[in-house]
Structure formats: C-alpha cells, structure tokens
Amino acid sequence: MKYLTPRLIFILFISISSNLLNGQAYFKTSGSIDLLDQKVAEFSSGDLLIGNSSTAPVRSGDETGILLLSRVDYCGNIVWGKEYNYGGGYLILKDIAVNSKDEIFLFGSHYKGLTESLFLAKIEDAARSDLDLRIFSPGSVDHFTYSIDANDDKLLVYGLLLDFNSSKEGFVGLFDHNLNIIKASKFVPFESSGNAIISDDDEVIARS
C-alpha cells in the first residue's frame, strides 16, 4: 500500500500536465509568428480580452500600426477577433483594460520617424469597427509605457521617461473614459518597469 500513493500522484501529474498543454491551443488567437507579448483583461461576464501588436511593420520599414484583439469565453472558445490598422505610425501595445461597461482601453507606444509618443485608444462597442485613438507627447526623448488601469470613471496610465542628461523619471497620467486628460505627474526615484492601479478608495498605488 505504501507504493500506491506516489504512483497515483505521478499519474495525476501527467494527466493534469497533458490537459494544460492541450488547453494552450485555445489561447493562440492568431496564426502570426511576429507578435509581441500578449496582454489580458477581463470582461464583466468573465470572458477574457487578449490583445497584441505586430512587429511586421518594423521589419518591413512600413510605419503602420497593427493591433490585434480577441475575446475568449470561459470555455476557451474565440467569440470574436479583430484587427485594427493605423497608418500614422508604428504601435506597440503595452497593456489593456476593460471597464464595467465592457468598453475596451488600449495603452502603448507610438513611433513615427524619430519621434516617440504615447497612444491611448478606446473601443466603445466591439460590434463596430471604429477605434478612437489619441497620440500624446511624453515631453522627453525616450519613454517606456507599462500599464493601464480603469475604474468606473477614470483611466490611469503609468510609465518611464528618459531625457538627455537626466535621471529616469516615472510618470502617471489620469484620463476620463473619453480619453481626455485630467492631470499628469512625474516622480523620482524610478528604478524599472512596474505598474499602477486605482484603489477602491480612489487612490493611486504604483510600484517600480
């Protein structure tokens, strides 16, 4: 009897691992191999939003942004998949958020020529093909975009600024759900990466 328990555990481990490997195919929402890291958010129903951006324009030299979104239900079925093309520069999607109304928000970096900017986008109704995309200057030579968070009426974006002869500075930007800026702040010291959230009592909590 003392040999039975480890054998059962071993068999159970193989079974679970096999299910996980098979399940990974559900989240391969695009056949493209030139994608950056996928980002995930959750709809009010529990469905997942998976977002990505393509590196193809960088390799081709075409200053076009390609954003890819898919909605996946809790059984792993793809409900819909959408591709958004932006002709005004290359886009890197860094984070996504969904509010209580199931409106979708995208945050990342925009590059055109030697100019670097931030982008913020909103999809109010995924049944339509339009996307409201805004470009914002970071006021620095270089930047990194890290995270976005949403509550019932505000958006919070977070990242890093770099400039000539200056130390790294963190930044937070607060927007309403129509992508209008409310306020923005810089802070030091800032080490690397991290994220920021809006707490339940409407405070900003950030880590780096």
Side-chain angles (χ1 to χ4, degrees):
M1 183 58 122
K2 63 182 179 180
Y3 298 105
L4 183 58
T5 302
R7 186 176 301 171
L8 285 174
I9 292 173
F10 179 67
I11 292 171
L12 180 62
F13 174 75
I14 292 177
S15 175
I16 292 174
S17 298
S18 175
N19 288 338
L20 288 174
L21 290 172
N22 291 336
Q24 287 176 359
Y26 286 124
F27 295 95
K28 189 176 181 181
T29 57
S30 172
S32 301
I33 61 173
D34 62 341
L35 303 178
L36 299 174
D37 295 334
Q38 292 187 141
K39 308 302 176 184
V40 180
E42 187 176 2
F43 289 98
S44 58
S45 65
D47 289 0
L48 296 180
L49 173 68
I50 300 177
N52 222 321
S53 50
S54 174
T55 61
V58 172
R59 298 202 312 272
S60 66
D62 180 19
E63 290 189 333
T64 301
I66 301 175
L67 302 175
L68 302 167
L69 298 176
S70 297
R71 181 169 181 162
V72 180
D73 68 19
Y74 51 81
C75 292
N77 302 304
I78 297 176
V79 179
W80 51 253
K82 293 183 177 293
E83 178 177 313
Y84 296 90
N85 292 273
Y86 174 70
Y90 174 55
L91 302 175
I92 296 180
L93 180 64
K94 297 302 292 186
D95 202 11
I96 57 180
V98 179
N99 67 8
S100 58
K101 299 178 181 178
D102 283 347
E103 296 172 327
I104 298 168
F105 300 95
L106 315 174
F107 176 56
S109 298
H110 166 265
Y111 301 90
K112 188 171 180 61
L114 299 178
T115 302
E116 296 189 11
S117 307
L118 317 175
F119 83 82
L120 190 58
K122 175 183 179 181
I123 302 170
E124 188 170 344
D125 183 359
R128 304 201 306 263
S129 59
D130 56 325
L131 177 147
D132 183 5
L133 188 142
R134 312 281 180 92
I135 304 296
F136 300 90
S137 171
S140 62
V141 174
D142 197 4
H143 79 281
F144 294 89
T145 47
Y146 291 133
S147 72
I148 184 172
D149 191 34
N151 67 4
D152 288 340
D153 58 355
K154 289 188 289 291
L155 303 172
L156 176 70
V157 300
Y158 179 74
L160 164 68
L161 302 177
L162 290 170
D163 219 333
F164 293 121
N165 301 317
S166 69
S167 60
K168 292 183 289 187
E169 296 178 304
F171 74 85
V172 290
L174 204 60
F175 296 78
D176 64 25
H177 283 194
N178 292 319
L179 309 186
N180 300 307
I181 190 166
I182 299 171
K183 63 180 178 180
S185 301
K186 297 189 292 185
F187 62 90
V188 291
F190 190 95
E191 291 303 320
S192 62
S193 64
N195 71 311
I197 62 170
I198 306 172
S199 67
D200 291 339
D201 54 358
D202 215 31
E203 299 291 333
V204 173
I205 302 175
R207 68 175 182 87
S208 71

